[in-house]
Amino acid sequence: MVPSGLPATLTAASSVDKVSMRLVTRLTIAFLTVVILMLALHEFRQLDEARADFERDMDRTHYLVATTLADSVELLIPREGVEAARKIVEQTGARHDSDVRIRWVCLEGQLDAPPAPVDCSTLSEPQTTTRTNANGEIRRFTLAPVRIADTTHGAIEVSEPPAHEGDWVRQHFNATLLLALMTAGGMALAAFVLGWWLVARRTRALMEKARAVGRGELEPDLTLPGQDELSQLAGEMNAMCRHLGAARESTARETAARIAAVEQLRRADRLAGVGRLASGLAHELGTPLNVIEARAGLIVEDTDASTPVQSSARIIIQCTEQVTKLVRQLLDYARPRKLEQQVFSLDRLAQTVTELVDPLATRRHVALKVETSATVLTQGDEGLLQQALTNVVVNALHACSEGGHVKVNTSVVHAREKKWSTVSVTDDGVGMSDEVRARLLEPFFTTKAVGEGTGLGLPITASILEDHGGFLGVESAPGRGSTLTLHLPFVP
Ligand SMILES: Nc1ncnc2c1ncn2[C@@H]1O[C@H](COP(=O)(O)OP(=O)(O)OP(=O)(O)O)[C@@H](O)[C@H]1O
Ligand SMILES: [Mg+2]
């Protein structure tokens, strides 16, 4: 659980650390176990060999002592008798370590002569054997026969419990155990440090990258130098990031295209609705409007100019014209257009439109000018595009207060992965709020007073551009003016 107050990234980083150190610890333990097992096996074999060496050494020493003493006794008996020889053996035995026992066994005629662990009568050569007595005491015996002229006079016995061997083995074992522990400790430390450097540190980088990918950060920026598996994994992760990035971009493009298609369908649907309404209205209103206008005209003709009847008749004519204009605009917006395809200069179009709307600019005291650099060509219906541009320029003039500026200029730009011939209208007027911008192409959306705007100007412009395969670009900020750009097919 993440403790409250602790930043999530810190907690994530420390859990990454723990995970990678767990791996290193496991590797170290596995490595250590293998090293200890191998050392133990080696030591076991060494110990076995050392024990065999020790036994061989002990047997050789016992053999030398026993045979030398037996030879001495054989020489002494004829000259000084058995008793003297026995004393020599006893003195030799007394001089030695209490664990090493040297005695003359199976001596015939000597009642107190100790029994031998083997049958002396059959003993012709020195013999070595191990025996356990009734008390469970283990001894290693070496017996050298004493022979004088084919007669056996017992044997010289040298024996020693293998306890000394145990001491020696224990010392050897302790020394090698210490060495083994130091070696294993050193190796464990080395394995841990190397494991951290080569595995934990780099695994952490990989895990952090995986988390970043999970958060949607797809920069292929993971670098793990080297040629090993982890470096290759880093390369694969970078490749994966590149693929995911490309897939994300294409998904975003597809989604945008789908949204645009849906939007177009909705617009087409709306157009169809408005079209039906418009043709219905045109049909139903056309005749009465004509009648009203004609009758009002008759009243104007038949009355005196100073009378209120004539001024009322003129107002009726004006209103009728307004309604007729609205019906015509509706029809313009909704009617399927037949485009005339011709190549023409956008600069010429800009010039024509500005000349047409110049009286309005003069009336509103707004400076209107055209800026063209090189000839920009496009293909389409010049008449319809003139209508589209006029709507935009008139809007710009309406947006400016007295002393404002409206600039029309043409250029070739790159947008939506291709070249466009454009004509832009820039004003330093009121600008648009986000809400106005969002609703700009909605039919009947207007901020103008009732009777001053129908809210059909820009929808008609956008629909004409769409018919040409183009689109309307809008840049605007409240109080900072606007730039509306008509994007049209580029003709080189
Ligand atoms: N250059 C501009 N600066 C600020 N607002 C603008 C600009 N051009 C358009 N608008 C806003 O967009 C609205 C819709 O414009 P549109 O041309 O479609 O309709 P309208 O001008 O209101 O009426 P009409 O049908 O007579 O053109 C306008 O009412 C205005 O609020
Ligand atoms: Mg308008």
Side-chain angles (χ1 to χ4, degrees):
M1 212 174 101
V2 179
S4 59
L6 205 64
T9 45
L10 206 70
T11 320
S14 71
S15 80
V16 167
D17 269 357
K18 267 187 213 152
V19 171
S20 44
M21 286 319 286
R22 217 176 289 151
L23 180 65
V24 172
T25 311
R26 278 193 196 153
L27 279 174
T28 308
I29 289 172
F31 178 69
L32 202 61
T33 310
V34 171
V35 168
I36 287 175
L37 275 176
M38 286 176 70
L39 279 174
L41 202 69
H42 177 72
E43 278 312 306
F44 185 71
R45 287 197 57 220
Q46 286 269 82
L47 223 57
D48 234 28
E49 279 172 21
R51 186 179 285 123
D53 281 352
F54 186 86
E55 269 183 21
R56 256 196 309 280
D57 278 357
M58 192 169 82
D59 288 351
R60 198 177 305 122
T61 313
H62 286 186
Y63 178 88
L64 275 174
V65 171
T67 51
T68 310
L69 214 51
D71 288 349
S72 307
V73 166
E74 282 169 8
L75 286 173
L76 207 63
I77 289 173
R79 272 191 271 137
E80 302 205 13
V82 171
E83 206 46 44
R86 202 169 72 163
K87 275 196 181 128
I88 293 283
V89 175
E90 276 175 8
Q91 277 170 8
T92 312
R95 238 182 260 136
H96 277 276
D97 187 327
S98 58
D99 279 341
V100 181
R101 198 171 68 195
I102 300 174
R103 26 179 231 184
W104 195 348
V105 294
C106 308
L107 191 57
E108 286 210 1
Q110 301 289 325
L111 289 175
D112 57 344
V118 295
D119 182 3
C120 293
S121 58
T122 56
L123 198 68
S124 55
E125 292 295 325
Q127 193 182 329
T128 296
T129 182
T130 302
R131 288 282 187 274
T132 308
N133 69 10
N135 301 332
E137 191 194 10
I138 305 166
R139 283 190 93 80
R140 184 102 176 128
F141 293 89
T142 300
L143 291 131
V146 178
R147 291 181 148 269
I148 301 170
D150 291 341
T151 313
T152 304
H153 294 272
I156 300 297
E157 175 202 273
V158 179
S159 69
E160 188 177 345
H164 277 156
E165 179 194 358
D167 286 349
W168 183 88
V169 168
R170 209 169 298 122
Q171 275 172 13
H172 185 82
F173 178 78
N174 286 346
T176 45
L177 181 69
L178 188 67
L179 184 70
L181 284 177
M182 280 166 63
T183 313
M187 282 181 159
L189 189 68
F192 196 77
V193 171
L194 281 175
W196 179 82
W197 182 255
L198 293 174
V199 180
R201 202 173 52 96
R202 309 168 90 219
T203 315
R204 188 173 62 187
L206 284 166
M207 290 175 79
E208 273 168 5
K209 184 67 201 167
R211 282 177 197 275
V213 171
R215 288 195 300 271
E217 297 162 19
L218 297 177
E219 290 76 31
D221 55 0
L222 183 59
T223 44
L224 288 187
Q227 296 290 321
D228 57 22
E229 289 82 348
L230 292 182
S231 307
Q232 283 176 8
L233 185 57
E236 292 299 326
M237 280 185 89
N238 282 339
M240 181 185 80
C241 284
R242 273 191 289 274
H243 291 320
L244 283 176
R248 186 163 69 179
E249 269 172 31
S250 90
T251 310
R253 266 200 306 273
E254 277 169 25
T255 310
R258 225 166 271 167
I259 289 172
V262 169
E263 189 56 34
Q264 213 158 347
L265 275 176
R266 274 173 42 197
R267 276 173 59 76
D269 204 35
R270 239 170 11 215
L271 277 178
V274 174
R276 278 195 298 276
L277 178 75
S279 43
L281 271 178
H283 185 259
E284 296 300 321
L285 294 181
T287 317
L289 277 173
N290 284 339
V291 172
I292 294 168
E293 202 177 349
R295 295 293 165 104
L298 285 177
I299 295 172
V300 170
E301 279 170 20
D302 292 350
T303 52
D304 199 351
S306 57
T307 59
V309 176
Q310 191 183 84
S311 68
S312 297
R314 285 189 190 284
I315 291 170
I316 291 170
I317 293 172
Q318 263 175 27
C319 290
T320 324
E321 277 168 1
Q322 260 180 26
V323 178
T324 313
K325 187 182 156 207
L326 173 65
V327 172
R328 199 173 48 247
Q329 269 187 320
L330 269 174
L331 282 171
D332 270 355
Y333 176 58
R335 199 169 31 209
R337 296 180 192 91
K338 226 173 148 271
L339 299 187
E340 268 181 39
Q341 290 293 347
Q342 68 207 57
V343 174
F344 63 94
S345 153
L346 278 184
D347 314 282
R348 196 181 67 206
L349 181 77
Q351 210 68 53
T352 314
V353 169
T354 41
E355 278 164 21
L356 270 173
V357 296
D358 201 49
L360 177 64
T362 316
R363 235 185 3 259
R364 296 184 66 88
H365 303 286
V366 174
L368 172 64
K369 62 175 179 172
V370 187
E371 275 178 11
T372 51
S373 44
T375 310
V376 178
L377 296 177
T378 190
Q379 184 172 358
D381 191 313
E382 196 173 353
L384 283 175
L385 288 169
Q386 183 179 320
Q387 188 189 347
L389 183 60
T390 308
N391 287 343
V392 176
V393 178
V394 169
N395 278 351
L397 292 173
H398 281 155
C400 291
S401 43
E402 250 186 61
H405 301 82
V406 173
K407 196 175 71 191
V408 183
N409 74 306
T410 57
S411 61
V412 175
V413 299
H414 260 103
R416 299 185 182 177
E417 296 172 356
K418 60 191 235 193
K419 263 184 172 182
W420 300 91
S421 295
T422 64
V423 51
S424 304
V425 180
T426 306
D427 66 69
D428 54 3
V430 288
M432 299 175 215
S433 65
D434 286 346
E435 200 229 327
V436 171
R437 272 190 58 177
R439 304 187 59 192
L440 211 56
L441 304 183
E442 224 174 77
F444 306 112
F445 170 73
T446 180
T447 56
K448 290 172 188 166
V450 179
E452 279 181 29
T454 57
L456 280 172
L458 288 183
I460 289 172
T461 300
S463 143
I464 291 173
L465 291 177
E466 265 170 33
D467 288 350
H468 282 80
F471 66 97
L472 181 68
V474 182
E475 284 170 51
S476 184
R480 309 245 300 267
S482 317
T483 298
L484 280 88
T485 307
L486 283 68
H487 291 74
L488 287 160
F490 169 70
V491 173

